Amino acid sequence: MDSVRKGLRVGDLQKDTYERLRCSACEVTLETEDDPDGVGQIRSCPGCGSAWRRLG
Ligand SMILES: [Zn+2]
């Protein structure tokens, strides 16, 4: 799984006008889940199911 930082860098993710993360392909705001490892969060797209890890 890629990090949110990498997703933003390669263009898979964008930020909307309210600084919320959005999937570039689906243009929907990501959902937030707890990381099963307990360090950070998983941000997932309800449209395509892609997910990115956000640390800390
Ligand atoms: Zn998507």
Side-chain angles (χ1 to χ4, degrees):
M1 188 186 306
D2 287 341
S3 65
V4 166
R5 183 178 301 179
K6 183 179 179 186
L8 285 167
R9 189 172 67 233
V10 301
D12 290 340
L13 298 176
Q14 309 170 339
K15 284 186 176 179
D16 69 12
T17 50
Y18 302 103
E19 293 289 303
R20 294 177 304 198
L21 287 169
R22 192 169 67 168
C23 175
S24 298
C26 307
E27 300 189 333
V28 295
T29 302
L30 301 186
E31 295 179 342
T32 302
E33 303 167 22
D34 288 331
D35 189 326
D37 294 335
V39 284
Q41 295 175 328
I42 302 296
R43 306 300 307 269
S44 62
C45 173
C48 62
S50 297
W52 297 264
R53 172 171 280 127
R54 179 175 154 170
L55 297 175

